């Protein structure tokens, strides 16, 4: 074994979930590994995942279903999920005394509800496998001869390595260290970068009434996206009003599509507050309710229909006098109310940007990476793992699963590829 303390078989750049898994796995297979992290700690972003509870994977054990969630490039994950899918992730943490539980929508969390426990497992894994961790070690870039990386540039100090695994993540939540430098290095090395954009990100709306209902979370609603009055996409589930627009799981999941559609023109967001009832069923219910409450003021009936926080807004949007007796509400007014309940309209005014995006869409073009090994098809001693790749999934643990899977595969193959093959 080489005794030079600055010489390594593999340098992993970026100590997020993908980098920690890649480094630990490569060292487990006997490689001498250094993990370079520019922060003073590992996994800064991991600690804030799932609101500090870490939705570490998704209890969807059919790989095909996970692949579908990653859209048109999802097939790239086929081999990585087969090698280290959700079941393996759950087992990996359970064996290290962090058992998990499954919540709504297949979201898997540690039983302790602590992202800190997930990070601790990864830190211990690195320690046990003998990975050299270099903190506050910012990588500045690489030199290459066009086929191989010949050297790595650090802001402070120097190291040498035979192989490099790039795990610098995306550009979202830059305060965690994910500032997207890896994209530029990959580009400098000849890789195509699919245009990046904030994804799983809150949406700003043109209508300012949203701030009157900020903080209101609605469960079991349907959101449709419309362009030129044509439905483009929809989601059913939970959403949240914010002081500038909309957030919550189904809005985040639609945000990438909203961004794409906005490039072609205006995007309308239609919220169906009563998706279990069609237009006629809702009308029948209102007519029944109106009969039973005929002497009530309109405003005093509405709590039966809507969350308290929405009442003032719906009254104002409907134009119905809140003090009007229910039996005096006209057919047209009832129709207006139904329209608001079934099709509460907002207009998208962009996303809140990388600062609040859960992930970054776009990145290293997966067509230039071998999906079985995560090895670059252009630079023989370069591998990729995690969010730096052009892969982004919905909320629900899919993105971390992608990081564990690609990190595991990159670590495995970087460790096992002989120097002769490079
Ligand atoms: C608020 C929030 C909540 C989330 N919740 C979930 C969730 O519950 N479930 C889920 O599946 N996903 C969640 N995600 C997404 C998930 O956190 C990311 O997909 C994941 O962290 C990406 O991992 P990564 O290892 O690819 O990159 P990152 O976690 O971004 O790590 C990259 C690392 O590289 C380091 N680095 C960058 N540049 C350099 C450099 N020049 N030199 C040295 N080091 C460098 C960074 O400091 C960082 O530590 C959440 C994201 C956010 C922002």
């Amino acid at each position: 074994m080489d005794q030079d303390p600055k010489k390594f078989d593999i340098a992993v750049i970026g100590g997020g979930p993908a980098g920690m898994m890649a480094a630990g796995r490569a060292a487990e297979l006997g490689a001498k590994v250094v993990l370079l992290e520019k922060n003073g700690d590992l996994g800064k972003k991991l600690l804030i995942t799932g609101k500090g509870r870490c939705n570490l994977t998704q209890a969807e054990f059919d790989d095909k279903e996970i692949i579908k969630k990653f859209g048109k490039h999802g097939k790239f994950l086929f081999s990585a999920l087969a090698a280290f899918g959700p079941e393996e992730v759950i087992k990996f943490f359970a064996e290290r005394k962090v058992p998990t539980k499954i919540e709504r929508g297949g979201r898997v969390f540690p039983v302790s509800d602590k992202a800190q426990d997930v990070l601790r497992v990864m830190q211990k894994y690195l320690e046990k496998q003998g990975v050299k961790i270099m903190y506050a070690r910012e990588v500045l870039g690489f030199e290459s001869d066009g086929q191989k990386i010949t050297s790595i540039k650090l802001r402070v100090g120097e190291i040498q390595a035979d192989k490099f695994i790039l795990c610098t993540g995306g550009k979202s939540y830059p305060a965690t260290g994910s500032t997207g430098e890896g994209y530029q290095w990959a580009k400098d090395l000849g890789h195509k970068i699919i245009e990046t954009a904030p994804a799983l990100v809150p949406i700003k709306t043109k209508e300012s009434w949203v701030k009157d209902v900020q903080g209101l979370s609605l469960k079991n609603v349907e959101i449709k996206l419309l362009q030129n009055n044509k439905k483009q996409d929809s989601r059913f589930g939970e959403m949240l009003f914010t002081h500038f627009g909309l957030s919550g799981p189904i809005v985040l999941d639609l945000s990438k599509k909203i961004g794409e559609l906005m490039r072609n023109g205006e995007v309308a967001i239609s919220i169906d507050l009563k998706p279990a009832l069609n237009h006629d069923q809702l009308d029948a219910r209102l007519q029944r309710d109106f009969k039973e409450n005929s002497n009530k003021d309109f405003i005093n009936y509405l709590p039966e229909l809507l969350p308290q926080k929405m009442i003032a807004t719906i009254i104002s949007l409907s134009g119905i006098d809140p003090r009007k007796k229910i039996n005096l509400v006209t057919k047209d007014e009832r129709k207006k109310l139904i329209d608001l309940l079934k099709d509460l309209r907002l207009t998208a005014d962009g996303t809140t940007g990388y600062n609040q995006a859960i992930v970054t869409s776009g990145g290293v073009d997966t067509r230039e990476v071998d999906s079985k090994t995560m090895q670059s098809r252009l630079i023989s001693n370069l591998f990729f793992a995690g969010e730096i790749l052009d892969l982004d999934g919905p909320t629900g643990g899919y993105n971390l699963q992608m990081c564990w899977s690609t990190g595991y595969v990159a670590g495995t193959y970087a460790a096992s590829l002989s120097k002769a093959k490079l």
Side-chain angles (χ1 to χ4, degrees), residues 14 17-18 37-39 49-50 55 139 173 177-178 181 358 387 400:
E37 169 53 56
K38 74 173 168 190
N39 289 331
T49 56
N55 175 196
V139 173
Y173 272 72
S178 320
E181 293 102 291
I358 304 276
E387 200 176 318
L400 280 175

Side-chain angles (χ1 to χ4, degrees), residues 136-147:
R137 213 45 74 96
E138 187 181 357
V139 173
L140 298 178
F142 299 96
E143 299 284 346
S144 94
D145 62 9
Q147 270 136 31

